Amino acid sequence: MAKLSTDELLDAFKELTLIELSDFVKKFEETFDVSAAAPVAAVAAPGAAATGGGEEAAVEEQDEFDVILEGAGDKKIQVIKVVREVVSGLGLKEAKELVEGAPKPILEKVDKEAADAAKEKLEAAGAQITVK
C-alpha cells in the first residue's frame, strides 16, 4: 500500500460524510487503543502546579462570581425593579419573593464585569450586595 501524505489524507477526509468520518474515528480509536477526546484536565493541572501558589493562584484568577443580595434596605420596590432588570426572565412575583427572602444569590457564575455592573445597579437602588 502506498503511503499517503497529510494533505492527501485531508483531501480524502473532506470527501467523507460526517457519519462516515465518525465511524472512521471509532475504528481508529479501537485499532490503536487511543481516544480522540482532548485531555482538558491534564492540561489544566500542570498550569496550576507551575504557579506554585496553589489555592492562592486560583483565588487571584477567579473568573466566575456570584452576586448575593444581603438585604433590600428601605427602598424595596426600587430593588425589586432592578432585580427584574438584572435577572432576565424574572416576573414581578418571583423578584419580590427573591428580595424578601434575602440573603439570596441574584446571579451565579457570571464574569467580573457583569457582577460589578449588577452590584452597582442594585446598590444604587438601596440594596446591600456581596460579590463572591
Side-chain angles (χ1 to χ4, degrees):
M1 182 169 134
K3 185 174 180 180
L4 299 175
S5 71
T6 305
D7 290 333
E8 292 171 332
L9 281 171
L10 287 174
D11 289 337
F13 288 137
K14 287 178 185 177
E15 295 176 14
L16 296 176
T17 65
L18 287 177
I19 294 173
E20 292 170 333
L21 190 56
S22 175
D23 289 339
F24 169 78
V25 170
K26 288 177 187 173
K27 288 180 183 176
F28 185 90
E29 289 175 338
E30 290 171 4
T31 303
F32 295 103
D33 194 29
V34 295
S35 174
V40 176
V43 173
T51 61
E55 289 182 31
E56 293 173 14
V59 171
E60 291 174 13
E61 298 175 13
Q62 181 178 359
D63 60 351
E64 291 182 342
F65 298 88
D66 295 340
V67 179
I68 300 169
L69 175 69
E70 298 294 335
D74 296 337
K75 302 176 183 177
K76 187 164 71 170
I77 294 173
Q78 291 299 92
V79 173
I80 292 170
K81 287 180 181 179
V82 175
V83 166
R84 289 189 66 206
E85 179 183 323
V86 171
V87 182
S88 62
L90 204 59
L92 181 60
K93 180 181 177 186
E94 292 85 5
K96 182 179 180 226
E97 289 172 354
L98 195 132
V99 169
E100 290 176 346
K104 292 268 186 173
I106 301 291
L107 297 172
E108 294 179 326
K109 297 182 181 178
V110 295
D111 61 17
K112 178 85 171 142
E113 292 81 24
D116 288 341
K119 179 181 179 183
E120 187 177 312
K121 287 180 183 180
L122 288 161
E123 285 181 341
Q128 294 86 35
I129 301 296
T130 302
V131 176
K132 293 184 181 180

